[in-house]
Amino acid sequence: MTLNNIAVYCGSNLGNTPDYFHAAQALGQTIARRGSRLIYGGGKIGLMGTIADAVLTHQGEVVGVIPTFLREKEVAHQGLTELIETADMPARKNKMIELADAFIALPGGIGTYEELFEVLSLAQLRQHAKPVGLLNINGFFDPLIALLHQTADQGFMPQANLNLVCVAETPQALLQQMADYRFIDAPKWVQPEWAMKQAV
């Protein structure tokens, strides 16, 4: 699978350990060296700014997408290849999805989770077949992965949909998984055994 344009969702904060900062730098460097273009939220602070700077330092291209009301709050990065300003958050998310061939989540907050789950939900609904990856630094996403398994185990998601997410601890391993990714169609709605017995 071609990964020409990679959307990265990540925090506008740096986190309590430098490991996240170094991981963002490493991912940015890897994206640039493989000739891919970074699509991200357009800010110059936190992990957002870190990954953008890393891609630019290694002669890669970076497209930022930022809503007008956040341009000042997140301090829009002025050194990007392109900065796209949108009217609001939904328009920002839609534009990033439109531009991207793949999606990666780094550690972040509620906004990062929202963006991640939106692209996973769209994949589940067959609205795209693009790979979605988690760069699992220091086990940051372990609780989220456990939640997805719990969701499938309790019958609220097909087990096959656990394969919608690629997970790795290094950028190289994650991007290789994502390049090899093939969408597997699975029925979203499954009747549990107890309900089938009741219907008889």
Side-chain angles (χ1 to χ4, degrees):
M1 179 167 290
T2 304
L3 307 178
N4 291 329
N5 299 285
I6 300 174
V8 174
Y9 303 131
C10 59
S12 55
N13 289 300
L14 288 170
N16 291 336
T17 166
D19 293 346
Y20 305 130
F21 172 80
H22 295 311
Q25 283 188 318
L27 179 59
Q29 177 179 333
T30 304
I31 288 172
R33 287 187 170 169
R34 77 188 312 277
S36 300
R37 183 168 65 157
L38 172 67
I39 313 296
Y40 89 117
K44 74 173 185 180
I45 58 174
L47 296 186
M48 293 173 67
T50 302
I51 190 167
D53 288 341
V55 173
L56 292 168
T57 297
H58 292 88
Q59 289 72 57
E61 294 187 359
V62 180
V63 176
V65 185
I66 194 166
T68 301
F69 83 97
L70 274 184
R71 185 166 187 154
E72 293 303 321
K73 286 184 181 180
E74 290 191 352
V75 194
H77 199 305
Q78 299 303 318
L80 305 178
T81 310
E82 184 180 359
L83 181 64
I84 299 170
E85 190 168 331
T86 63
D88 51 31
M89 290 293 283
R92 175 205 225 178
K93 290 186 292 180
N94 289 337
K95 189 63 177 176
M96 291 179 69
I97 292 169
E98 173 194 327
L99 292 172
D101 302 313
F103 310 94
I104 294 176
L106 283 170
I110 291 172
T112 300
Y113 299 138
E114 178 194 15
E115 291 165 322
L116 169 65
F117 276 107
E118 178 158 5
V119 292
L120 283 176
S121 179
L122 289 171
Q124 178 179 255
L125 293 168
R126 304 168 194 161
Q127 298 303 294
H128 73 78
K130 304 172 183 179
V132 180
L134 301 177
L135 189 57
N136 197 23
I137 307 304
N138 292 347
F140 180 87
F141 287 112
D142 285 354
L144 187 149
I145 295 164
L147 175 64
L148 292 176
H149 280 273
Q150 170 78 350
T151 303
D153 291 344
Q154 294 303 312
F156 291 98
M157 179 177 82
Q159 290 285 342
N161 281 358
L162 293 170
N163 297 319
L164 293 174
V165 189
C166 302
V167 183
E169 297 177 1
T170 67
Q172 294 84 354
L174 183 59
L175 287 168
Q176 187 58 58
Q177 274 190 50
M178 295 174 73
D180 294 339
Y181 174 82
R182 295 295 178 270
F183 178 74
I184 299 173
D185 198 2
K188 182 183 184 304
W189 297 279
V190 180
Q191 188 82 334
E193 188 176 334
W194 67 265
M196 289 189 286
K197 288 179 179 176
Q198 270 197 346
V200 174

